[in-house]
Structure formats: structure tokens, C-alpha cells
Amino acid sequence: MSSKLTSAALLAASCLLAGPAFADCKPLSIVASVDLAPTADIRPFVPVTFGDTRKTMLVDTGGTLTEMLPSVADALGLKPGHGADAHSVRWRTYEAANIVHDAPTVLVHASMKLGNLVARNMEFRVTSDDDLPADDATVAGLIAPDVLGNYDVEMDFGARKLNLLSQDHCEGKVVYWNADAVAIVPFEKMPTGHIQFPVQLDGKAVVADLDTGARATTLTRGVASRDFSVEVGDAATPAAGNPPQYRHVFKTLDIGGVVIANPGLLIVPDVTRNMRAKAGAPPLGTRLSDKRIDETDQALRIGMDILRHLHVYIAYAEKKIYITAGSPSPAPANAPHPAS
């Protein structure tokens, strides 16, 4: 898969970090810096261009493959089956009802620009994603960990800024902005690209996933009932909407020392409950081995209702997340800046 963004402006985009804390370290290097696109959606969208066509893409750390909507592929002349730049593979997916699908997936290639970075012959999965805003014609698709995982990803939601940084730097020396406290959370990177790590919910350990593609933070119903005695539909966990959703307010969510008070979580079905039982030897030609997609321990998905109040730095190569409180003081003068 040739989806890693590249740019001749890479060196021009770098800037040394001075000061004693970074004196012996290879400096951080920002390779792309963009403002988040203005949108009514709580999730982060970034401006991109395909040739002369301007669009936005959802930055989705909970995705798997970078995706393009069929209407955009058609408008760009990337219709399936036309030329060497379009082909299909088989991809094994899991649906909410724990049904395994092994179906053809259409892939196309296009050049895309994000800030200073230009991806040539970039691969996109063509799919109709019901979770993308249908009423926003600027949305082209989503950028998933198959691309994001090639970089450090900094998301300053208070300043509405996304930075992609080179992974070639001194380990651990990444928090260049002013912060009273920094949570450093080791994580496991799954072959899907999802990142899983332990958190404390009301003082109990829960395995979580950081998902910028999710609007709400959710907890699986089985864990909610077994470990927290949550009963959906009672006075503490009322139903709302149609179909009904259940929301429960917990006391604290502790992410490596960053504590969120009174988080309201949606209680959702255990969509991965039977995944381990269904996982077997992968059919020839699939992209992922089913056993190693196993994410059955994940119970809590941290969405944008919580993340929007934080400043998050995902160091994919280090397998660590650095988190500070949102709305930090202005960055010091020696902070890295993208090229003008």
C-alpha cells in the first residue's frame, strides 16, 4: 500500500527545538500543519485538495482504511475498473451483529494534498460511509491509521489545529507546548490501526480505544452491567431517542492522570463480544489475519465529546499517547512551526 504522504517540502517544514530539555535530541519536525475545517460536526475535518478540487476529510483514528465516497471517486474520474489505478481486493469486516463479511472492496488511487504534503498514487477504499455527513458536499471521505500511523499526530482541538510530525526524533521529547501536567499513556497498536490502552473508570480498569471518528464516548453494555452494575432503562441510565440510546453519568474517567469529572457515556451493545470465537484462519487474499484483529478486550471508546477538551499527541512509533488539558497557554517561542 503506497499511502504514506510525501513532500519535497519536508525539510523546509522542520524547525529545531532549543532549550535544555531538548539539547541532546533530534528535533521535532512538523511535515504538515493545517487548521481544522469549520463544520457543525464535532469531529475533526481537515481541508485537502485533489488537483483543483477542494474537499475535506475526517481524521479518524478509529478507522482502518482511508476512504473515499463513491460520488467523489466518480467526480474525479476514478470509476472502478477503469485503468490500472482501480482494482478490488477482498476485505474481511465485522458488523455490529457479529456477522463476518468477506466481500470485494473497491480500491482506487488519486493524488491528494494535505497542507505541504502531497500523496501521489494514494490508495482509497471506495465506500458509502453512513457516518459521514450526508448534507455536506465538501466531505470526500476519511483519513485512517493506514496513513496516520506513518506520523506522529498532534491534535490541538482548542486551537483547532492538526499537525503531522516526522517519527524520526528523540523518544519522549514531544510536548513542546506549555502544560501544567502531561499524561503519558502506553498503548497497543492493533493491525487495524486502532490504539488500545488502559484507563480508570470510577476507579476500575477498563480497556479503551481513542477514536476521533466517534462523536460520543461509549461503554459496552456487558462491562457496564458486570463491572459497574449499570442497568439500562432505569432512572440512572434512561433511554433517549428513537431507536433508544442509554446514557449513564459516571464519577470520573482517568486517562493516565488526566481526570474527566462526571463523564456521560452511551451504553452500547457488545459488538466485538463474539469476535474471538468467530476468528479463524484468514482466507487466502484477505488483507488482515482475523485472529490478530481481536479487539474483544476493548470496552470503552473515547470519542470527541471528551477529546475536544484535550490536547492529544499520538506517537505511533513509540506506542504512546501524550495528553494535556485543553486550551493550553500559548506555545513557547522555540516551538516548531510549519514552513510559510
Side-chain angles (χ1 to χ4, degrees):
M1 182 182 302
S2 58
S3 59
K4 183 172 182 178
L5 297 176
T6 60
S7 174
L10 174 62
L11 294 179
S14 65
C15 181
L16 295 181
L17 280 172
F22 299 97
D24 298 326
C25 298
K26 194 165 185 178
L28 287 179
S29 172
I30 293 182
V31 297
S33 182
V34 295
D35 294 328
L36 299 182
T39 173
D41 199 305
I42 192 176
R43 299 172 299 173
F45 287 79
V46 291
V48 299
T49 56
F50 300 94
D52 296 328
T53 303
R54 296 184 179 183
K55 292 288 185 179
T56 62
M57 300 279 281
L58 171 65
V59 179
D60 187 1
T61 61
T64 301
L65 284 178
T66 294
E67 297 180 357
M68 180 182 289
L69 294 172
S71 58
V72 176
D74 289 344
L76 295 175
L78 305 175
K79 297 180 181 179
H82 287 237
D85 286 339
H87 61 282
S88 64
V89 297
R90 302 194 71 80
W91 181 269
R92 176 160 284 199
T93 59
Y94 294 88
E95 301 298 342
N98 298 309
I99 300 171
V100 179
H101 296 281
D102 183 18
T105 295
V106 175
L107 302 176
V108 297
H109 293 78
S111 293
M112 185 184 83
K113 184 177 181 182
L114 170 65
N116 289 329
L117 298 180
V118 178
R120 304 189 187 283
N121 200 37
M122 185 174 174
E123 187 173 88
F124 298 84
R125 179 188 184 191
V126 180
T127 180
S128 296
D129 194 325
D130 294 336
D131 204 32
L132 290 173
D135 58 348
D136 189 344
T138 69
V139 175
L142 62 85
I143 303 173
D146 60 330
V147 168
L148 299 174
N150 294 304
Y151 301 94
D152 285 5
V153 179
E154 180 198 352
M155 292 169 286
D156 184 349
F157 296 112
R160 297 196 57 78
K161 178 75 71 174
L162 169 77
N163 292 327
L164 300 182
L165 300 96
S166 169
Q167 295 177 343
D168 186 14
H169 60 78
C170 185
E171 182 172 348
K173 306 298 184 180
V174 301
V175 179
Y176 61 87
W177 61 93
N178 292 329
D180 293 333
V182 180
I184 304 175
V185 185
F187 65 80
E188 291 294 328
K189 183 180 178 183
M190 311 303 287
T192 56
H194 300 167
I195 52 180
Q196 296 186 349
F197 49 94
V199 299
Q200 294 283 322
L201 182 63
D202 284 2
K204 296 182 179 181
V206 179
V207 177
D209 166 37
L210 189 151
D211 187 357
T212 57
R215 296 179 181 87
T217 298
T218 63
L219 180 68
T220 56
R221 186 168 178 172
V223 170
S225 174
R226 184 188 70 235
D227 295 346
F228 299 95
S229 300
V230 171
E231 295 298 331
V232 298
D234 67 9
T237 316
N242 185 23
Q245 293 184 319
Y246 302 92
R247 185 174 182 270
H248 187 90
V249 178
F250 291 82
K251 295 182 178 67
T252 58
L253 173 61
D254 185 335
I255 311 172
V258 173
V259 179
I260 292 89
N262 304 315
L265 310 187
L266 290 181
I267 309 303
V268 298
D270 300 327
V271 297
T272 60
R273 180 179 51 200
N274 297 323
M275 189 180 291
R276 183 177 287 114
K278 292 180 179 295
L284 184 64
T286 57
R287 284 283 178 112
L288 295 176
S289 172
D290 294 354
K291 180 64 181 74
R292 286 170 288 279
I293 301 177
D294 189 349
E295 297 180 8
T296 51
D297 291 335
Q298 177 191 308
L300 192 149
R301 174 165 291 173
I302 302 176
M304 285 302 301
D305 56 340
I306 287 176
L307 294 175
R308 65 176 174 166
H309 302 293
L310 303 174
H311 192 152
V312 179
Y313 188 111
I314 305 173
Y316 277 102
E318 293 182 20
K319 296 185 178 180
K320 291 179 183 176
I321 310 169
Y322 298 82
I323 303 173
T324 71
S327 302
S329 302
N334 61 355
H337 295 283
S340 57

